[in-house]
Amino acid sequence: TIPLLHGAHRIGKRMDVDMNRWRGYGLGQFIHWGLYSILGGDYNGKHYNGAAEWIRSWNQLPNAVYDSLYKQFNPKDFNADKWAAMAKQMGVKYVTITTKHHDGFCLWPSKYTSYNISNTPYKKDIIKQIVDAYTKVGIDVYLYFSVMDWHNPDWRYDLKSASDTIAFNKFKKFTQSQLEEQLRMYPQIKGFWFDGTWDNSWKKSGAFSDSLDQDLKRIHPGLIIGSRLRADDYGKRHFDSNGRLMGDYEQGWERTIPETFADTHGNDWECDMTIPENGWGYAKQWMGHWKTSDELIEMLAKCVSLDGNFVLNFGPKPNGTFRQKEVADAKAIGDWMKINNTAIYNCAHVNWEKQDWGYFTTPTSQDDKVYMIVFNVPVSGALRVLPTKNILLKKAYLLDGDKQLSIEKLDGSAYFVHLPNEGQKQPFVVVLETEKGKNGKQDINKHI
Ligand SMILES: C[C@@H]1N[C@@H](c2nc3ccccc3[nH]2)[C@H](O)[C@@H]1O
């Protein structure tokens, strides 16, 4: 291995109480809200084809116009308790909220820049209201923070001169000050979600990213920080020069999901997903395909079946309300979670052969129970199950209503679980109760 001062300091998963709670979340909510929400992806009668929260980078929009939007930010219909209630009904266990996106505008009254919420017509601290409201209903709060800050004159994409280095040193101090300020102002938070760390300036600041990570955790023990914060001694990100994950979980699955368990490298990880194909901040017109709630529920099941969390993004309007499609999806997911969350919360990967009908999960607290989250019922109505060696199926029943299902033992160690032909219209869960087989040969073709 390559000797590193600023590579991974831990091998394997974090196993403390805070990380164990994070591992069991299953479902989370992301919220992207800021000045970009005012424009909603349009300007001067033209539509910006990039992600709506990136509109400041559009050459059709002068920076000065964007940077004066704060003068009209006044979300009259913003109600943090209503946001928290919608999230609670949806069944999310944690929320990640943008405090400062790449544009540098701060949704909290930072004393390190005047470019913040206190200088808008709205004035009040949005982050505090959200932290308090979500914490009150038992949803853990994480703060999104973009290191890249287009508004701060000391931001640099690269360090090519002594003056770049001097400016960026000031920028690093500013960054650390804002983060420590957030920890002082919002002590209830459980972690940070860093973004905007892909440029050379940050890749050359591995030592700083390492000390920043350690400083924040010293101030707030148990803090959870993903792999997108740090760079190592050689500018490597997420995985250091020895291939080891830097951070408490792999934070690279943005709008994408690992296909197999091998793709997760056995780490904790989180998928962050948009309902439209791309775009995180509010966009007046969502381009392309809008994922249905069934598609979103399947993504959730797939993530949990591969030991990850699924975090769905919402982009509130400038007035503080959500678009109808987002409200409807939150409701549909919440209704499904009310019946089926046993197969999601505190569940983990099962190393049985993946089947076409859907996904396996197992409760981390019980190893003789396996859940089948079914999306594709075969025309035969027979769901194939191939447990690992020496595991026998004792019982199978529907989670919703306990209806017993017949199990057919095939040769080898495979089974068929036979479904009633009730033509389920929603994804549903089958509960399997298992037992360890004796070492001897197992019966074949035995109907139970
Ligand atoms: C969580 C997401 N990360 C930001 C982002 N910026 C990117 C630049 C290049 C490639 C991917 C990006 N994702 C998006 O604006 C959003 O905040």
Side-chain angles (χ1 to χ4, degrees):
T1 51
I2 302 164
L4 294 172
L5 289 176
H6 306 298
H9 300 308
R10 184 199 70 249
I11 295 182
K13 293 183 174 181
R14 241 183 76 170
M15 298 311 280
D16 57 283
V17 65
D18 293 301
M19 199 66 205
N20 289 337
R21 182 193 312 111
W22 186 94
R23 187 169 296 118
Y25 285 151
L27 176 61
Q29 178 186 47
F30 217 130
I31 293 182
H32 276 72
W33 201 32
L35 301 183
Y36 41 81
S37 311
I38 295 169
L39 297 178
D42 292 348
Y43 175 68
N44 232 357
K46 287 190 289 263
H47 179 71
Y48 170 56
N49 280 323
E53 71 285 351
W54 272 73
I55 195 165
R56 187 180 186 278
S57 67
W58 188 26
N59 58 22
Q60 306 284 311
L61 170 60
N63 287 347
V65 169
Y66 185 95
D67 292 349
S68 64
L69 287 171
Y70 73 94
K71 294 174 187 161
Q72 53 182 297
F73 191 72
N74 192 5
K76 291 195 178 342
D77 302 321
F78 171 56
N79 179 321
D81 290 318
K82 284 187 182 164
W83 286 22
M86 182 182 85
K88 193 68 181 174
Q89 192 282 337
M90 178 176 161
V92 307
K93 290 288 185 184
Y94 67 132
V95 65
T96 300
I97 170 75
T98 47
T99 61
K100 180 177 87 171
H101 204 263
H102 309 332
D103 63 356
F105 177 71
C106 302
L107 270 70
W108 83 101
S110 174
K111 63 175 189 280
Y112 297 98
T113 172
S114 59
Y115 195 48
N116 74 63
I117 194 71
S118 64
N119 294 314
T120 68
Y122 182 73
K123 293 192 185 353
K124 291 174 294 206
D125 183 345
I126 283 181
I127 299 304
K128 175 161 178 45
Q129 293 178 71
I130 289 175
V131 171
D132 291 348
Y134 277 79
T135 303
K136 198 162 57 183
V137 299
I139 298 175
D140 287 346
V141 181
Y142 291 71
L143 301 183
Y144 168 107
F145 184 93
S146 174
V147 168
M148 176 169 70
D149 180 332
W150 294 327
H151 187 268
N152 187 306
D154 294 323
W155 164 255
R156 292 291 183 280
Y157 287 97
D158 201 349
L159 308 177
K160 292 195 170 335
S161 66
S163 74
D164 281 347
T165 301
I166 290 163
F168 204 65
N169 284 338
K170 278 172 62 186
F171 182 79
K172 292 190 290 190
K173 279 189 180 50
F174 160 76
T175 299
Q176 175 137 9
S177 301
Q178 285 204 312
L179 290 165
E180 294 185 357
E181 172 181 60
Q182 289 188 354
L183 287 180
R184 278 194 309 276
M185 293 175 74
Y186 316 112
Q188 312 98 307
I189 63 158
K190 301 291 184 196
F192 286 114
W193 202 100
F194 287 104
D195 204 4
T197 56
W198 43 77
D199 290 297
N200 283 341
S201 51
W202 195 255
K203 286 179 181 172
K204 292 173 180 172
S205 303
F208 173 72
S209 70
D210 190 8
S211 64
L212 175 63
D213 184 74
Q214 293 182 45
D215 291 347
L216 294 174
K217 289 181 172 180
R218 192 174 306 114
I219 295 167
H220 195 305
L223 203 64
I224 293 175
I225 296 177
S227 63
R228 204 176 278 194
L229 171 64
R230 290 178 49 203
D232 80 352
D233 313 51
Y234 299 95
K236 292 276 286 154
R237 296 177 56 240
H238 296 282
F239 295 91
D240 69 18
S241 303
N242 295 314
R244 293 184 182 133
L245 185 70
M246 292 181 283
D248 299 322
Y249 63 92
E250 189 181 352
Q251 191 189 346
W253 302 98
E254 185 175 311
R255 294 188 301 120
T256 178
I257 299 175
E259 195 44 48
T260 66
F261 189 63
D263 296 333
T264 70
H265 322 288
N267 295 313
D268 286 310
W269 59 277
E270 173 186 285
C271 161
D272 304 288
M273 189 56 74
T274 52
I275 298 175
E277 284 172 35
N278 191 5
W280 303 75
Y282 174 65
K284 287 173 188 151
Q285 36 182 330
W286 273 353
M287 313 298 282
H289 175 69
W290 302 15
K291 297 175 189 72
T292 64
S293 55
D294 278 343
E295 283 177 86
L296 297 169
I297 291 166
E298 178 158 4
M299 290 181 171
L300 166 62
K302 181 171 182 180
C303 288
V304 174
S305 79
L306 293 173
D307 272 356
N309 289 332
F310 180 68
V311 179
L312 184 61
N313 182 68
F314 289 73
K317 296 178 182 176
N319 70 358
T321 66
F322 293 99
R323 68 187 326 131
Q324 197 282 328
K325 165 68 177 162
E326 290 174 326
V327 173
D329 284 348
K331 177 76 169 64
I333 293 167
D335 289 346
W336 187 84
M337 285 292 278
K338 216 181 297 323
I339 297 168
N340 301 288
N341 68 48
T342 325
I344 298 293
Y345 295 147
N346 300 306
C347 282
H349 173 68
V350 184
N351 64 343
W352 297 359
E353 181 190 76
K354 170 77 174 67
Q355 303 296 335
D356 293 341
W357 45 258
Y359 309 90
F360 289 115
T361 65
T362 183
T364 43
S365 60
Q366 281 176 281
D367 63 4
D368 60 355
K369 198 163 269 186
V370 166
Y371 301 115
M372 301 164 63
I373 310 179
V374 183
F375 293 88
N376 317 302
V377 175
V379 286
S380 64
L383 304 179
R384 190 169 180 276
V385 176
L386 179 57
T388 41
K389 207 161 50 63
N390 235 5
I391 300 283
L392 303 180
L393 300 193
K394 270 186 355 192
K395 283 172 72 179
Y397 52 92
L398 294 178
L399 176 68
D400 182 17
D402 285 343
K403 182 186 180 66
Q404 295 300 315
L405 304 177
S406 85
I407 301 175
E408 180 187 354
K409 181 91 180 61
L410 310 179
D411 59 344
S413 43
Y415 294 85
F416 272 143
V417 173
H418 290 285
L419 291 174
N421 49 6
E422 268 145 27
Q424 287 83 355
K425 275 281 148 283
Q426 282 273 327
F428 60 94
V429 174
V430 172
V431 184
L432 299 177
E433 292 186 2
T434 67
E435 64 185 353
K436 295 257 185 302
K438 303 176 188 40
N439 294 341
K441 225 167 139 22
Q442 293 158 0
D443 297 338
I444 56 172
N445 295 331
K446 192 172 110 192
H447 267 269
I448 298 171

